[in-house]
Amino acid sequence: MQVSAYALDKIAEKLNLSIKDLNKAFKKKILREDEYKEQKYLLFKKGFRGIEKGTVIFLNENLDVVRGYPKTYRAITLYPTIKNHFIDKVVVEEKLNGYNIRIVKVDDEIYALTRSGYICPFTTKKVKKFLNLEILDDYNEYMLCGEMIGLNNPYTPYYYKEADKGYENLGFYIFDIKERETNKSLPVKERMKLCEKYNLPYVKPLAIVDKETAHIQVRKIIEKLNKEGREGVVLKDPDMAVSPIKYTTHYTQCEDLKSAFTFFFDLGIDFIFSRVVREGFMSYEFKESLEERKIRAKDLGEAILLPMVETINKVANGERVSEDFELIFDSEEDFEEFLYFMRKMKMIINIKNVEEINTNEGVKIKALIGKIYNRTNDKIISYLNGTLWE
Ligand code: ATP
Ligand code: MG
């Protein structure tokens, strides 16, 4: 570890931790060193004494801190949860189904950090290209928190029509601007005003409602989003004085299950119980008839069983199943750099195809990459060969 005693002191002070705590975090490997290009940084792999997972400390002269994006708690019932949690008005925003990114400028360089606190080369390059980030010259103490969405991404490949850019389906929407060292959010209105001023894309409110009647309006919004195949909502206090909470659609619960049960021995257990519970409470709260409840049950059952059997079939036919995603890179070098990053993230990948494509911005590289779930593949083979369930 290259951190000097002086640096350690300053980091402890900034994070409001003792040196003893910091050393403990190092020892437990909660605090780890990593680097992106020449820039070394420390990274919290887990939450520790009030410091969020994904918090990063740049090992530069300033020891710039970027706090991790806090967990968003989930409402299981709309009533009385919203009424109990909020103060007065509630801003209803759409919850986008992509991956969380924090954009910061440190020592004149732009970085895009993933939720777990890695500087992602793919995302860093994309945001530098898509966005004019002058805002971070004027407000260097801020981080832009947003969702990267679209089919052509390596983490949550999910199609959004608004993210279509011709040769690439990828977009970014800011949903929060925070002071990066304290994690304090700007009020919703101020965030939107700044985004307007700097011409940055942001998530617009679907409605602003009174907390007393919010459950009725949110239910209507959820039913509409459900029909449109969208993920759900995040509810916020206009001043961000209390933490936001999320609520998702039936459609999303089923989509989550479908993707998890495609790789069921890797992801099934972690996904199933919480999704089924969400559906149970939704069915109760929406006062469904038996007929409606049976439709929900059928959707749930199909979301679990159909992808599972499809996977078993594929493996039985000799295929190794993988989760495929297609990414667009500006150069061979960018592609190589990202491959190195994925391997560092311990992603087991299989490059299925690489080709050059002509776009209105010149020649680019399109790569089809498969993420391998070994456990699912291996266990299916073993049960097909007669292994007993323990
Ligand atoms: P956690 O529950 O720890 O926050 P998770 O990976 O389970 O993380 P999600 O279920 O996707 O996350 O819900 C929280 C995430 O939703 C946020 O971290 C953010 O990336 C994303 N998100 C999408 N749209 C919004 C929005 N409008 N406002 C806030 N967050 C949003
Ligand atoms: Mg998400």
Side-chain angles (χ1 to χ4, degrees):
M1 183 55 51
Q2 309 282 320
V3 187
S4 68
Y6 164 78
L8 216 55
D9 244 9
K10 196 159 168 193
I11 294 168
E13 188 191 314
K14 280 193 174 210
L15 298 179
N16 205 10
L17 294 172
S18 64
I19 300 277
K20 206 172 143 202
D21 280 343
L22 273 186
N23 282 326
K24 196 164 165 190
F26 277 123
K27 213 168 146 195
K28 286 187 159 173
K29 299 213 158 75
I30 291 173
L31 193 50
R32 299 272 290 270
E33 194 176 313
D34 199 359
E35 59 188 357
Y36 173 71
K37 299 199 167 148
E38 313 292 58
Q39 182 60 61
K40 289 190 172 9
Y41 59 95
L42 296 177
L43 150 66
F44 278 86
K45 305 273 285 184
K46 284 188 193 160
F48 181 79
R49 311 246 151 133
I51 304 299
E52 305 80 3
K53 173 182 172 191
T55 295
V56 160
I57 305 114
F58 283 83
L59 294 175
N60 59 356
E61 207 176 309
N62 259 342
L63 296 164
D64 282 295
V65 169
V66 183
R67 296 284 288 264
Y69 198 79
K71 187 172 170 56
T72 311
Y73 289 95
R74 175 181 296 275
I76 295 293
T77 52
L78 296 173
Y79 186 87
T81 316
I82 303 175
K83 180 172 135 64
N84 289 350
H85 182 82
F86 287 99
I87 302 167
D88 177 20
K89 298 270 190 245
V90 182
V91 181
V92 185
E93 275 178 18
E94 181 174 352
K95 182 174 195 297
L96 296 170
N97 187 13
Y99 62 102
N100 181 301
I101 281 297
R102 287 163 284 152
I103 306 174
V104 294
K105 192 164 191 176
V106 172
D107 294 340
D108 255 4
E109 271 298 319
I110 295 288
Y111 299 102
L113 277 58
T114 64
R115 189 78 194 279
S116 33
Y118 290 95
I119 296 172
C120 170
F122 174 82
T123 317
T124 297
K125 296 216 167 89
K126 296 290 177 186
V127 298
K128 277 163 87 165
K129 220 169 144 164
F130 291 167
L131 307 173
N132 176 352
L133 293 164
E134 250 175 70
I135 184 173
L136 294 174
D137 296 328
D138 299 344
Y139 298 94
N140 189 259
E141 70 278 23
Y142 287 168
M143 55 179 172
L144 309 176
C145 310
E147 199 81 348
M148 187 65 97
I149 58 167
L151 201 56
N152 299 119
N153 90 61
Y155 307 109
T156 312
Y158 186 82
Y159 179 82
Y160 272 95
K161 58 179 185 310
E162 60 268 48
D164 241 336
K165 291 198 164 53
Y167 62 89
E168 186 176 45
N169 186 246
L170 194 66
F172 177 74
Y173 293 88
I174 293 172
F175 52 67
D176 206 351
I177 298 181
K178 284 170 169 285
E179 282 174 14
R180 60 175 162 75
E181 301 229 343
T182 64
N183 235 341
K184 190 173 180 312
S185 292
L186 290 185
V188 174
K189 263 196 198 141
E190 261 179 63
R191 180 236 301 165
M192 293 196 295
K193 225 166 74 190
L194 271 186
C195 288
E196 289 283 346
K197 181 173 167 200
Y198 288 93
N199 202 16
L200 291 164
Y202 61 94
V203 178
K204 297 183 181 75
L206 297 171
I208 300 171
V209 298
D210 283 334
K211 72 166 190 168
E212 301 292 334
T213 53
H215 57 285
I216 302 168
Q217 283 131 316
V218 172
R219 174 172 171 182
K220 283 198 189 119
I221 292 171
I222 282 288
E223 280 167 346
K224 180 164 179 279
L225 292 172
N226 187 52
K227 282 203 195 98
E228 295 166 351
R230 306 194 57 118
E231 191 185 16
V233 294
V234 181
L235 308 174
K236 299 178 179 176
D237 176 68
D239 293 322
M240 297 294 279
V242 295
S243 56
I245 51 182
K246 60 190 178 189
Y247 189 83
T248 51
T249 57
H250 165 68
Y251 175 86
T252 291
Q253 265 84 261
C254 292
E255 286 301 300
D256 284 0
L257 287 171
K258 278 183 205 164
S259 54
F261 276 81
T262 306
F263 309 102
F264 55 99
F265 281 120
D266 288 273
L267 307 174
I269 295 220
D270 283 347
F271 273 71
I272 189 162
F273 184 65
S274 62
R275 266 71 184 183
V276 175
V277 169
R278 289 175 209 168
E279 288 290 287
F281 279 90
M282 192 184 273
S283 176
Y284 159 79
E285 186 168 19
F286 290 9
K287 297 192 175 57
E288 284 180 329
S289 64
L290 184 60
E291 204 181 323
E292 286 167 326
R293 190 163 302 159
K294 283 190 168 172
I295 295 173
R296 188 183 293 277
K298 184 163 173 282
D299 288 350
L300 273 180
E302 287 186 358
I304 295 165
L305 202 73
L306 300 188
M308 176 156 79
V309 181
E310 197 179 316
T311 296
I312 299 174
N313 264 321
K314 283 185 180 162
V315 175
N317 287 328
E319 198 178 315
R320 257 193 112 66
V321 290
S322 62
E323 180 181 41
D324 296 345
F325 49 90
E326 209 159 49
L327 302 179
I328 316 290
F329 296 94
D330 277 353
S331 66
E332 188 75 36
E333 196 189 337
D334 286 1
F335 177 39
E336 291 297 328
E337 187 187 4
F338 192 63
L339 285 179
Y340 171 78
F341 176 75
M342 280 190 290
R343 293 194 177 110
K344 194 170 81 178
M345 296 293 95
K346 306 221 161 50
M347 271 165 92
I348 309 164
I349 51 163
N350 174 9
I351 301 160
K352 298 194 153 175
N353 191 41
V354 184
E355 61 187 293
E356 286 191 346
I357 53 166
N358 283 309
T359 74
N360 47 0
E361 290 173 36
V363 180
K364 299 201 182 276
I365 290 172
K366 184 159 101 175
L368 181 65
I369 300 167
K371 186 173 171 193
I372 313 270
Y373 287 97
N374 276 332
R375 205 177 143 80
T376 297
N377 283 288
D378 296 346
K379 283 211 150 207
I380 292 174
I381 292 172
S382 126
Y383 288 123
L384 288 173
N385 286 330
T387 300
L388 296 173
W389 186 282
E390 283 183 34

